[in-house]
Amino acid sequence: MGYVTEDKTTFDALVGAGFDEFVQLSSVHCDGWGIASIDRGQNVATLDRAPERAVNSENFSKALQKTKTDGSLLHLRWATKGLPISENNTHPFVYQGFSFIHNGTISPTGAMDAFIDPKFTHLIEGETDSERYFFFLLTSIEKLGLLEGVKAGVNQIRQSMDYSSINAMVMNENFYVVICEHHPERRPDWAPSDYYELKYRRDEAGVLVASTGWNQPNWETLPNHHLLSVDRATFEVAVSSL
């Protein structure tokens, strides 16, 4: 889940009554929680995360209460089989003024390593494909700029790598970018058909985007193979095909 707003707010205040239902998703996505925030015009990300279930976590409750911002990402981790449950493997991942979360798997974990700028390689602290995905995109962003860099990086993965989903969210002080790219047939066996779908809500407060699995009345669906971007200065929303 992520949001950008005109005025500073909190996740529970913005989402409303359904937020508790979203947090209940951590009964399955139980291997960690994390919140990263970047205020508009501030080129630095703050991060709180822990490798524990969000429901009934005192640390999670405290992090929510203190997270009053105009831009934030929240992640509930369900660890890929074989990858350790640890803080270093817990989303979000941050670097300077960027934050990132991912839902899905890119195989093998090191598929992107050869394409990551060496200056980022030593910053990788965990074992996940997700953290590598982040630095892979940062490598592309440095060459092409945020929007074109994200699109080029995602399309490289689409064309040459194996994945179930590369749904992701990227935020900096100027933009909020959401990637919707997945193979619906590669969802978990027990999961509903919309498991990998992303939905968004626009109103006078700002823009909120989240995964499915909880009640989201009247939200718009972001089509698969598409990119959503929000200009944080104007709150203009653009949806484009990959």
Side-chain angles (χ1 to χ4, degrees), residues 13 22 28 33 40 54 68 76 105-106 175 186-187 217 237:
F22 174 83
V28 173
W33 61 265
R40 189 167 58 251
K68 189 169 187 180
L76 304 174
T105 302
I106 303 170
F175 282 94
R186 298 185 66 178
R187 66 189 184 275
V237 176

Side-chain angles (χ1 to χ4, degrees), residues 1-2 22 169 197-199 208-212 214 216 219:
M1 175 183 287
F22 174 83
M169 299 183 183
E197 285 187 4
L198 293 169
K199 296 188 176 185
L208 174 67
V209 189
S211 299
T212 57
W214 58 294
Q216 295 162 291
W219 288 43

Side-chain angles (χ1 to χ4, degrees), residues 1-3 9-16 19 35 64 72-74:
M1 175 183 287
Y3 71 81
T9 187
T10 61
F11 276 102
D12 51 351
L14 182 64
V15 177
F19 184 68
I35 301 171
L64 280 175
S72 193
L73 301 180
L74 187 161

Side-chain angles (χ1 to χ4, degrees), residues 50 67 81 91 121 143 157 171 178 198 223:
T67 302
K81 186 177 181 180
H91 307 219
T121 303
K143 296 175 182 176
I157 295 173
M171 186 177 292
V178 180
L198 293 169

Side-chain angles (χ1 to χ4, degrees), residues 180-229:
C180 187
E181 172 59 41
H182 55 268
H183 295 298
E185 72 280 3
R186 298 185 66 178
R187 66 189 184 275
D189 292 341
W190 53 265
S193 60
D194 67 348
Y195 178 76
Y196 281 130
E197 285 187 4
L198 293 169
K199 296 188 176 185
Y200 62 103
R201 187 184 81 188
R202 293 181 283 184
D203 56 28
E204 64 281 358
V207 182
L208 174 67
V209 189
S211 299
T212 57
W214 58 294
N215 190 29
Q216 295 162 291
N218 303 316
W219 288 43
E220 299 178 67
T221 299
L222 177 60
N224 196 10
H225 320 304
H226 280 70
L227 193 77
L228 178 149
S229 65

Side-chain angles (χ1 to χ4, degrees), residues 228-240:
L228 178 149
S229 65
V230 185
D231 185 322
R232 297 185 65 180
T234 64
F235 289 94
E236 179 181 356
V237 176
V239 175
S240 60

Side-chain angles (χ1 to χ4, degrees), residues 105-120:
T105 302
I106 303 170
S107 302
T109 300
M112 295 163 286
D113 286 358
F115 306 102
I116 298 173
D117 191 306
K119 78 174 189 179
F120 293 131

